[in-house]
Amino acid sequence: MTLAMTGTVELEPSQPSNARAKWKHMDTVLDRSGPFTDPDFRPGETPKESLARAKVLVIGAGGLGCEMLKDLASSGFRDIHVIDMDTIDVSNLNRQFLFRQEDVGKFKAEVAAQRVEKRSGSGVKITPYCGKIQDKDEDYYKQFAMIICGLDSIEARRWINATLVGMVDEEDPDSLKPLIDGGTEGFKGQARVIFPTMTSCIECQLDMHAPRAAVPLCTLATIPRQPQHCIEWAHIIAWEEERKGDILDTDDPEHITWLYQKALKRAEQFNISGVTYSMTQGVVKNIIPAIASTNAIVAAACCNEAFKIITSCNPCLGLPGTDNYMMYTGDESVYTYTFEHQKKPDCPVCGNLSRPLQVNQDSTLGEFLDSLTERPEAQLKKPTIRTEAKSLYYQSPPSLEEQTRHNLSKKLSELVENGEEVAIQDPAFPTTFKYKLVFQK
Amino acid sequence: MLKIWSMKQKQQQDEAASAGTKKKKVTAAQLRVQKDLSELSLGSTMKTNFPNPDDILNFELTIEPDEGMYRGGSFVFTFKINQNFPHDPPKVKCTQKIYHPNIDLEGNVCLNILREDWKPVLNLNAVIVGLQFLFLEPNASDPLNKEAAEDLKVNREGFKRNVRTALGGGSVKGESYERVLKK
Ligand SMILES: [Zn+2]
């Protein structure tokens, strides 16, 4: 049994019994095995220590994040980190219950950490980071036992997912970080658990997120029917016509006011009522309706899975070959459904991970591509190849072929770094081949 | 976390150990665009131009229709693709001021699959086919340029003449257009 955890908090696992009393209920599931417990589970001190020592990261300190911090702290997690780049807006106060009027303008992560830490009493440490998840590198993410996401952006989810998949080092059990992801939209939500590289990842599951419902551009331009259409018109068409060159900043009140007034005028022309400043803000910032109770349900589901993963007291969601996705639908009565979302073999993130490939750095790109066409497992016919930074050679379209052709006669060492990843595509194959080119000398 | 790692090891029995890490990985958006580019069928009426060949997420597409009312024109569109592709559709704009019911004077394009009907399973070829179709069958019932749409609806022959005038760099209804005829 290996618990992938690093970093510890200053704490004493064996505390006086009265301090332990507050965990009485949690302890009942840790002090004995249940009917579903894995036969290797050893009740008692082991799971309690795992829980006390686990360093976990919550991404997002908004509606879901606030709930998650509270739930984790009250289930016995004691070393919690939280990351969020946003500051508190007055419109958050209804559901992000950790925040007060006087906190408006302060960083969410900081205030949320302070409040939960204070309320939880001694023994719980919450460390905030106010910034972007992209500011941090693999070393930062590596210190955690698991990552729990309460995000409203698909982009951020895709980023952390790709990072965690890329971190998995087959020699190092400690590099595999379970990812628990919660999401809500109105009365609907989902909780899912991902074991990077082992089970279906966020990128595999991209089809579970419907792209944002957009209104046809022509409706906006000609016959708006709803106040939102007038706002979108101001946002997409009027701004560009009248303020070309100005980059729209959705956090700049002057910009929002301008859009609001444009939208209002247009709404009057078409006899549409209901355009307001806050609706303008909502539409242009693409704020999805957030309901406190849905956040509570989804956050709670995520945190129970976190608890089970760390302590192994009961089977968790997401083990390979089992259900990994729980959806909650509350917009027509209540319906929940848990299923196994299958890993996609051609997933650009977790499908065919890059393999090391020994190359002679003095051979040319052309020679290298020729050698690939002879490799039995590849047998490529017209390979196209790039690194993250460079287009090395493209077979099509013709203009790109022409622009990259000169690379064929260059040495590999001039084009790629030792160990750099290349992605190779061939029209004969649906998948992309990824290799890390390792120089022979 | 019981057993997870041993399950992982079982899964990868025949996979080789990985070499050096820390190097930049090709992004999911790049991988997808690379795939889409390899499946592009441009024919003789379209060509691409990559101002920076290393950046495949930003490029231009020139369409030169060989039939229909816009025959002889050369229309340049910019494609801007963000890292959230294919969840987000590409942003496509016409760089020239043209007289078309579904393209406004700022170059915004009314094409359903670029907005409301976009799905991650659609590819760049679908977008390009859609753009090509706009020149073959301008659509008056879905207008972005209302005057042009009215014109097409009311007087098709007159509209055709106005298109030819606009393509040649003339003015139509007080608005002057860019000369976009193929050289
Ligand atoms: Zn995947």
Side-chain angles (χ1 to χ4, degrees), chain B residues 45 63-68 70-75 135-136 182:
Chain B
T45 59
I63 302 183
E64 297 181 337
D66 58 1
E67 52 183 322
Y70 290 86
R71 183 171 34 87
S74 180
F75 307 98
F135 290 108
L136 296 179
K182 198 163 111 182

Side-chain angles (χ1 to χ4, degrees), chain B residues 144-167:
Chain B
L144 206 51
N145 178 338
K146 267 180 288 182
E147 287 79 22
E150 263 319 291
D151 195 14
L152 172 61
K153 217 182 282 179
V154 175
N155 175 5
R156 200 175 165 89
E157 285 310 308
F159 173 76
K160 272 190 199 174
R161 278 195 300 278
N162 285 336
V163 167
R164 300 315 298 178
T165 307
L167 292 181

Side-chain angles (χ1 to χ4, degrees), chain A residues 2 11 29 43 56 93 122 124-125 139 160 173 186 216-217 219-220 248 251 276 296 338 368 382 392 402:
Chain A
T2 319
L11 56 90
V29 296
V56 296
L93 299 180
S122 67
V124 176
K125 190 166 130 244
D139 287 336
I160 189 69
L217 206 52
T219 304
L220 299 182
L248 182 70
D251 288 322
T276 61
T338 307
F368 170 66
K382 294 180 74 186
L392 299 179
E402 219 168 280

Side-chain angles (χ1 to χ4, degrees), chain A residues 240-299:
Chain A
E240 245 188 274
E241 270 174 23
E242 297 173 41
R243 300 191 62 165
K244 209 175 219 158
D246 259 359
I247 292 169
L248 182 70
D249 176 359
T250 55
D251 288 322
D252 184 337
E254 188 270 323
H255 288 186
I256 298 288
T257 306
W258 189 91
L259 292 177
Y260 164 59
Q261 275 157 1
K262 279 279 157 191
L264 199 60
K265 221 175 265 169
R266 184 161 174 88
E268 278 163 12
Q269 280 169 19
F270 288 90
N271 278 320
I272 297 169
S273 59
V275 173
T276 61
Y277 183 86
S278 69
M279 182 192 276
T280 309
Q281 215 175 14
V283 170
V284 302
K285 294 181 87 166
N286 188 17
I287 299 173
I288 33 183
I291 295 179
S293 318
T294 317
N295 283 339
I297 291 166
V298 166

Side-chain angles (χ1 to χ4, degrees), chain A residues 215-401:
Chain A
V215 185
L217 206 52
C218 19
T219 304
L220 299 182
T222 51
I223 31 153
R225 296 181 308 274
Q226 293 169 12
Q228 287 85 350
H229 296 170
C230 301
I231 297 167
E232 281 272 38
W233 170 84
H235 181 197
I236 295 168
I237 298 173
W239 181 273
E240 245 188 274
E241 270 174 23
E242 297 173 41
R243 300 191 62 165
K244 209 175 219 158
D246 259 359
I247 292 169
L248 182 70
D249 176 359
T250 55
D251 288 322
D252 184 337
E254 188 270 323
H255 288 186
I256 298 288
T257 306
W258 189 91
L259 292 177
Y260 164 59
Q261 275 157 1
K262 279 279 157 191
L264 199 60
K265 221 175 265 169
R266 184 161 174 88
E268 278 163 12
Q269 280 169 19
F270 288 90
N271 278 320
I272 297 169
S273 59
V275 173
T276 61
Y277 183 86
S278 69
M279 182 192 276
T280 309
Q281 215 175 14
V283 170
V284 302
K285 294 181 87 166
N286 188 17
I287 299 173
I288 33 183
I291 295 179
S293 318
T294 317
N295 283 339
I297 291 166
V298 166
C302 290
C303 293
N304 274 354
E305 294 317 305
F307 181 85
K308 290 189 285 176
I309 290 172
I310 289 293
T311 62
S312 303
C313 68
N314 273 66
C316 63
L317 184 71
L319 289 172
T322 68
D323 293 347
N324 54 13
Y325 195 115
M326 190 275 287
M327 63 176 227
Y328 169 88
T329 310
D331 46 7
E332 200 200 344
S333 187
V334 180
Y335 175 69
T336 63
Y337 181 60
T338 307
F339 63 98
E340 183 187 4
H341 193 288
Q342 299 281 343
K343 196 170 187 300
K344 290 209 169 118
D346 61 342
C347 170
V349 171
C350 75
N352 65 88
L353 298 167
S354 58
R355 299 177 185 198
L357 182 65
Q358 295 270 329
V359 293
N360 176 355
Q361 65 267 41
D362 295 327
S363 59
T364 64
L365 178 65
E367 287 163 353
F368 170 66
L369 291 179
D370 286 345
S371 75
L372 280 179
T373 60
E374 287 150 20
R375 284 181 76 84
E377 85 270 21
Q379 291 188 14
L380 306 172
K381 299 200 169 52
K382 294 180 74 186
T384 276
I385 179 168
R386 77 164 300 114
T387 62
E388 192 270 338
K390 288 191 200 117
S391 297
L392 299 179
Y393 182 65
Y394 276 73
Q395 298 273 359
S396 94
S399 72
L400 204 50
E401 195 278 332

Side-chain angles (χ1 to χ4, degrees), chain B residues 5-174:
Chain B
W5 190 253
S6 55
M7 287 169 108
K8 165 83 187 152
Q9 281 168 326
K10 219 170 280 166
Q11 262 193 1
Q12 68 192 29
Q13 254 162 13
D14 35 34
E15 296 227 355
S18 66
T21 48
K22 298 268 166 186
K23 294 271 162 42
K24 284 264 191 184
K25 294 191 171 67
V26 182
T27 67
Q30 286 178 323
L31 288 170
R32 178 53 196 272
V33 171
Q34 176 159 329
K35 182 166 185 285
D36 283 10
L37 289 176
S38 72
E39 289 166 356
L40 225 52
S41 55
L42 295 172
S44 57
T45 59
M46 290 185 283
K47 58 175 190 277
T48 53
N49 172 39
F50 291 78
N52 172 6
D54 289 331
D55 177 8
I56 53 168
L57 302 187
N58 290 285
F59 61 92
E60 291 170 359
L61 173 79
T62 305
I63 302 183
E64 297 181 337
D66 58 1
E67 52 183 322
M69 294 184 246
Y70 290 86
R71 183 171 34 87
S74 180
F75 307 98
V76 182
F77 291 85
T78 52
F79 278 64
K80 288 192 171 136
I81 300 169
N82 64 29
Q83 289 293 348
N84 212 21
F85 182 80
H87 193 265
D88 289 352
K91 283 204 165 66
V92 177
K93 288 197 92 170
C94 182
T95 61
Q96 303 134 317
K97 187 170 167 188
I98 63 169
Y99 187 67
H100 193 295
N102 312 110
I103 298 173
D104 72 11
L105 302 180
E106 303 299 313
N108 294 305
V109 182
C110 183
L111 183 63
N112 63 335
I113 56 168
L114 285 176
R115 279 181 66 80
E116 71 275 17
D117 292 330
W118 174 257
K119 292 179 192 70
V121 295
L122 291 170
N123 60 12
L124 292 176
N125 214 43
V127 173
I128 286 171
V129 169
L131 290 176
Q132 204 178 15
F133 191 70
L134 282 183
F135 290 108
L136 296 179
E137 293 288 337
N139 180 355
S141 61
D142 242 8
L144 206 51
N145 178 338
K146 267 180 288 182
E147 287 79 22
E150 263 319 291
D151 195 14
L152 172 61
K153 217 182 282 179
V154 175
N155 175 5
R156 200 175 165 89
E157 285 310 308
F159 173 76
K160 272 190 199 174
R161 278 195 300 278
N162 285 336
V163 167
R164 300 315 298 178
T165 307
L167 292 181
S171 23
V172 177
K173 295 172 187 161

Side-chain angles (χ1 to χ4, degrees), chain A residues 168-244:
Chain A
V168 176
D169 174 349
E170 304 181 345
E171 316 257 87
D172 177 12
D174 202 30
S175 65
L176 182 84
K177 308 296 179 187
L179 171 63
I180 304 179
D181 178 68
T184 72
E185 204 163 307
F187 285 117
K188 292 191 285 192
Q190 86 275 338
R192 49 187 165 173
V193 175
I194 291 149
F195 291 99
T197 72
M198 300 180 70
T199 62
S200 162
C201 78
I202 301 267
E203 198 75 23
C204 295
Q205 298 175 11
L206 211 53
D207 54 357
M208 302 300 291
H209 298 268
R212 173 188 183 199
V215 185
L217 206 52
C218 19
T219 304
L220 299 182
T222 51
I223 31 153
R225 296 181 308 274
Q226 293 169 12
Q228 287 85 350
H229 296 170
C230 301
I231 297 167
E232 281 272 38
W233 170 84
H235 181 197
I236 295 168
I237 298 173
W239 181 273
E240 245 188 274
E241 270 174 23
E242 297 173 41
R243 300 191 62 165
K244 209 175 219 158

